[in-house]
Amino acid sequence: MKKIMNGPEKIVDQMLQGFAFARADKVGYDPLHRVLYQKTFDPKSVPIISGGGSGHEPGHLGYVGEGMLAAAVHGDVFVPPSAQQVLAAIRQMDQGKGVLLIIKNFVADLATFLSAEVQARAEGRDVAHVIVNDDVSVESDASFEKRRRGVAGAVLVHKIIGAAAKEGYSLEALQEIGEQVVKNLATLGVALTHADLPERREPQFLLEEGEVYFGVGIHGEQGYRKEKLVSSELLAVELVNKLKSLYRWDKNDQYAVLINGLGGTPLIEQYVFANDVRRLLAIENLHVSFVKVGTQLTSLNMKGISLTMLKICDEQWVKWLYAPVDVAHWA
Amino acid sequence: MKKIMNGPEKIVDQMLQGFAFARADKVGYDPLHRVLYQKTFDPKSVPIISGGGSGHEPGHLGYVGEGMLAAAVHGDVFVPPSAQQVLAAIRQMDQGKGVLLIIKNFVADLATFLSAEVQARAEGRDVAHVIVNDDVSVESDASFEKRRRGVAGAVLVHKIIGAAAKEGYSLEALQEIGEQVVKNLATLGVALTHADLPERREPQFLLEEGEVYFGVGIHGEQGYRKEKLVSSELLAVELVNKLKSLYRWDKNDQYAVLINGLGGTPLIEQYVFANDVRRLLAIENLHVSFVKVGTQLTSLNMKGISLTMLKICDEQWVKWLYAPVDVAHWA
């Protein structure tokens, strides 16, 4: 597939420069460490830092701003940043209130973020983390390499913790909120195509004409079942039923819902799918108190969609989901 | 290309229902007329109404909300709504301050919106309109059918007039602001693929492997030149040079810039292109006071990008571009 770029080796740095240009009024850019950060960060708040490999746009750059991330650190396409990069972001944002890292549950991401945390603590900094592992397509007894991954639900974690941080919660309290949210968060995705990497690396799976793949990861990891695409409704039935068997929900339970395009899915199709999810959740008599539909965490231009459900255990979570933000790509 | 839908004949209504579900807190839905409207509209403001064919998401539904559109009216994919639908939206929102229609310059859109305006006036309503014709890929002496079309620049018109309307400007003043903005607005696009229609209608053009097409319209109308895709930089050179020859700008002239993905273009590529535009405009010594990068007005899943430039003639335009809004897909 043709790409608008100037060579794969330049794509990440040029993207970050382009972003820094577009948000020059609010966002600073450290090109050496590929860190985008809030220029005028409220020193009364705990800074929330996230990041990971590039290729998931608008994650992570699109969430830097008031009410969400204080900074985001970017690696190469589908490759996490180094510990040195993460440490640079911690040093940039730490103003004495501590720093909270949000890490998606991939082995390589954990290694670099946790190593940066250790080094920052050795410098006397107060650093904690929340690990997002919302992908429930992987069996719970899966191997270390295949354990529950962090996918689109991470965006809801950014939103909730970011809003709470703005209200002045402590590092300890924010970590506790994050852990509660993650415990009640689950995501399942379905791919209609593979991700198309800028370097023409081989995709991790191929689909035949008319085929879909349930349970794929955001780096193109293989899913749990292939079948023929029949309709949006049947995709929704599969994903809602799987989440139902996980949550074992009761009538009137309260949920927030995120329907996320994986990159190459037009909004018209995302909203058709949202309508199918709406009908299924209405049959279940669930109370849906927040809905977000959009292209929020992607696998480059993969065509597909994911459904994230967050069981609301605290009314404040809903308030924080609705709280206004000033970022490039939440809206 | 596989689509997440339940049949092409249902795609628009199900999308609108899905949208109404996602924004149930703020947006009302009239399914008979396919109108989405602000539930609690400030009666001191003039309502701004736009719309057109579907398939351009997030236009137009994504712009309904405080600070932008009071209502949006939706036709079938790439087919404008009827005059009756537009009239229903006018009746829904008119609270005595008049109503302003924003119309994209296509023959069929003009016919229905202007017919609705005539009928609304016959009912004693004060209705005016602004016609957006920012697409400069068509020669100025082109035929009626081929005259300057309304494309992505319409989103900036919504944003500026919507913010001004919120400040309480009169219908007459808003129309005047809109006309001034349109006079100083120009857009050029380039396609890497054609749009893929849900009904498998024949695309209006086909591209060979590695080919791009400059000047295509948002309904897949043919462009002005095909050539091989070399790099993002060369695409930016072509589009910036064409806009330069049109504007004949001077050093230190002030511009707002919109870089718009046409549907199938990942943000990583949009920001790479934004960086190339940044470098070219810096060489020209232009003062860029507002930049927006994102998937804002599309041609379904067409892969491609457009560059919109607005010459700033009034500092208030910049303020209105930055003004906060509460809509689903401007951020």
Side-chain angles (χ1 to χ4, degrees):
Chain A
M1 173 72 89
K2 292 169 276 194
K3 290 194 183 303
I4 300 173
M5 63 174 180
N6 304 302
E9 72 288 358
K10 299 177 191 160
I11 195 167
V12 172
D13 290 312
Q14 293 187 343
M15 165 185 75
L16 295 171
Q17 267 197 286
F19 184 85
F21 165 59
R23 298 287 292 180
D25 52 326
K26 301 282 178 73
V27 175
Y29 174 44
D30 166 3
L32 183 62
H33 300 99
R34 289 176 168 172
V35 175
L36 291 161
Y37 58 88
Q38 286 188 45
K39 273 185 177 169
T40 51
F41 185 75
D42 177 1
K44 291 191 297 296
S45 302
V46 173
I48 314 296
I49 296 179
S50 191
S54 295
H56 304 300
E57 294 69 32
H60 315 281
L61 46 74
Y63 305 124
V64 176
E66 210 183 305
M68 279 181 97
L69 301 180
V73 197
H74 299 82
D76 279 328
V77 172
F78 293 179
V79 178
S82 70
Q84 281 310 305
Q85 289 175 259
V86 179
L87 185 60
I90 294 171
R91 288 174 177 157
Q92 172 83 36
M93 300 314 298
D94 184 13
Q95 299 185 57
K97 292 261 170 191
V99 172
L100 185 66
L101 306 177
I102 302 181
I103 316 172
K104 288 189 287 306
N105 193 32
F106 295 94
V107 174
D109 288 65
L110 284 174
T112 56
F113 277 84
L114 295 181
S115 163
E117 181 175 322
V118 168
Q119 292 177 63
R121 281 187 176 162
E123 294 176 357
R125 300 177 192 277
D126 197 7
V127 182
H129 63 264
V130 172
I131 297 173
V132 183
N133 63 349
D134 55 317
D135 181 353
V136 293
S137 68
V138 181
E139 302 295 329
S140 57
D141 59 350
S143 70
F144 182 75
E145 292 290 328
K146 280 200 168 177
R147 62 186 164 179
R148 283 176 58 152
R149 304 167 291 215
V151 289
V155 180
L156 299 185
V157 179
H158 296 173
K159 184 71 185 71
I160 289 174
I161 301 188
K166 197 180 158 191
E167 289 187 3
Y169 280 72
S170 71
L171 177 61
E172 198 182 350
L174 292 170
Q175 186 187 20
E176 171 67 20
I177 294 165
E179 282 174 359
Q180 285 305 311
V181 168
V182 169
K183 266 186 207 154
N184 289 283
L185 187 68
T187 298
L188 267 177
V190 57
L192 281 69
T193 68
H194 61 81
D196 187 27
L197 290 161
E199 312 90 292
R200 296 185 177 274
R201 281 183 246 163
E202 282 303 303
Q204 289 170 271
F205 62 85
L206 287 171
L207 292 175
E208 287 176 30
E209 173 65 23
E211 213 174 34
V212 303
Y213 205 175
F214 290 106
V216 298
I218 53 168
H219 306 96
E221 294 91 342
Q222 302 204 4
Y224 63 81
R225 192 172 81 240
K226 289 183 186 178
E227 65 179 40
K228 283 285 164 200
L229 172 65
V230 176
S231 65
S232 168
E233 192 177 353
L234 287 188
L235 298 183
V237 165
E238 165 72 21
L239 299 187
V240 169
N241 279 346
K242 262 227 149 45
L243 291 174
K244 179 181 177 175
S245 70
L246 175 93
Y247 279 115
R248 303 166 192 277
W249 53 55
D250 291 315
K251 219 172 116 166
N252 295 321
D253 276 359
Q254 192 185 161
Y255 281 87
V257 170
L258 169 65
I259 287 159
N260 174 55
L262 291 176
T265 313
L267 277 176
I268 193 170
E269 298 178 40
Q270 295 181 36
Y271 279 113
V272 166
F273 179 81
N275 184 51
D276 291 314
V277 169
R278 173 189 68 79
R279 291 191 296 176
L280 294 167
L281 298 184
I283 291 167
E284 299 289 324
N285 281 303
L286 295 187
H287 176 51
V288 179
S289 48
F290 176 85
V291 185
K292 175 97 193 140
V293 179
T295 303
Q296 300 294 159
L297 195 75
T298 67
S299 186
L300 288 167
N301 54 355
M302 177 185 280
K303 182 150 189 179
I305 204 155
S306 68
L307 172 62
T308 299
M309 291 182 68
L310 169 65
K311 184 172 180 180
I312 301 295
C313 302
D314 181 340
E315 273 301 326
Q316 292 213 95
W317 296 0
V318 178
K319 180 190 75 176
W320 289 329
L321 285 169
Y322 278 109
V325 283
D326 185 8
V327 300
H329 295 289
W330 170 273
Chain B
M1 172 73 89
K2 293 168 275 193
K3 289 194 185 303
I4 300 174
M5 64 174 179
N6 304 301
E9 72 288 359
K10 299 178 191 159
I11 195 167
V12 171
D13 290 312
Q14 293 188 343
M15 165 185 75
L16 295 171
Q17 267 196 286
F19 184 86
F21 164 60
R23 297 287 292 181
D25 54 325
K26 301 283 178 70
V27 175
Y29 174 42
D30 167 3
L32 183 62
H33 300 102
R34 289 178 167 170
V35 175
L36 291 161
Y37 57 89
Q38 286 188 42
K39 273 184 177 169
T40 51
F41 185 76
D42 178 359
K44 292 192 296 296
S45 302
V46 172
I48 313 296
I49 297 179
S50 191
S54 295
H56 304 300
E57 294 71 30
H60 316 282
L61 44 76
Y63 305 124
V64 176
E66 211 183 304
M68 278 181 98
L69 301 180
V73 196
H74 299 82
D76 279 329
V77 172
F78 292 178
V79 178
S82 70
Q84 281 310 304
Q85 289 176 261
V86 178
L87 185 60
I90 294 170
R91 287 174 177 157
Q92 172 84 34
M93 299 315 297
D94 184 13
Q95 300 184 57
K97 291 261 171 194
V99 172
L100 185 66
L101 305 177
I102 302 180
I103 316 171
K104 289 190 286 306
N105 193 32
F106 295 95
V107 174
D109 289 65
L110 284 174
T112 58
F113 278 83
L114 295 181
S115 163
E117 180 175 324
V118 168
Q119 292 176 63
R121 282 187 177 163
E123 294 175 356
R125 300 177 193 278
D126 198 8
V127 181
H129 64 264
V130 171
I131 298 171
V132 182
N133 65 348
D134 54 317
D135 181 353
V136 294
S137 68
V138 181
E139 301 296 327
S140 56
D141 59 350
S143 70
F144 182 75
E145 293 289 327
K146 280 199 167 176
R147 61 187 165 179
R148 283 174 61 151
R149 303 166 293 212
V151 289
V155 180
L156 299 185
V157 179
H158 297 172
K159 184 70 186 68
I160 290 173
I161 301 187
K166 196 179 158 192
E167 289 187 3
Y169 280 73
S170 70
L171 178 60
E172 198 184 349
L174 292 169
Q175 187 187 19
E176 172 66 20
I177 294 165
E179 282 173 359
Q180 285 305 312
V181 168
V182 169
K183 266 186 209 155
N184 288 283
L185 187 68
T187 298
L188 266 178
V190 57
L192 280 69
T193 69
H194 61 82
D196 187 26
L197 289 162
E199 311 91 290
R200 295 186 179 275
R201 279 184 248 163
E202 283 303 305
Q204 289 171 269
F205 62 84
L206 287 171
L207 292 175
E208 287 176 28
E209 173 64 23
E211 214 175 31
V212 303
Y213 204 176
F214 289 106
V216 297
I218 53 169
H219 305 96
E221 294 91 342
Q222 302 203 4
Y224 63 81
R225 193 172 78 241
K226 290 182 185 177
E227 63 178 43
K228 285 284 164 199
L229 172 64
V230 176
S231 65
S232 168
E233 191 177 355
L234 287 188
L235 297 183
V237 165
E238 167 70 21
L239 299 187
V240 168
N241 278 347
K242 262 225 150 39
L243 291 174
K244 178 180 178 176
S245 70
L246 175 92
Y247 279 115
R248 302 165 191 278
W249 53 53
D250 291 315
K251 218 171 119 166
N252 294 321
D253 276 358
Q254 193 185 160
Y255 281 86
V257 170
L258 169 65
I259 286 159
N260 174 56
L262 291 175
T265 313
L267 276 175
I268 193 170
E269 298 178 41
Q270 295 181 36
Y271 279 113
V272 166
F273 179 80
N275 185 50
D276 290 314
V277 169
R278 173 189 68 79
R279 290 190 296 176
L280 293 168
L281 299 184
I283 292 168
E284 298 290 324
N285 281 303
L286 295 188
H287 175 52
V288 179
S289 47
F290 176 86
V291 185
K292 174 97 194 138
V293 179
T295 303
Q296 299 295 157
L297 196 75
T298 67
S299 187
L300 288 166
N301 54 355
M302 177 185 280
K303 182 149 189 180
I305 205 155
S306 69
L307 173 62
T308 299
M309 292 182 68
L310 170 64
K311 184 173 179 181
I312 300 295
C313 303
D314 180 339
E315 274 301 325
Q316 293 213 94
W317 298 359
V318 178
K319 180 189 74 176
W320 290 328
L321 285 169
Y322 278 110
V325 282
D326 185 7
V327 300
H329 295 289
W330 170 273

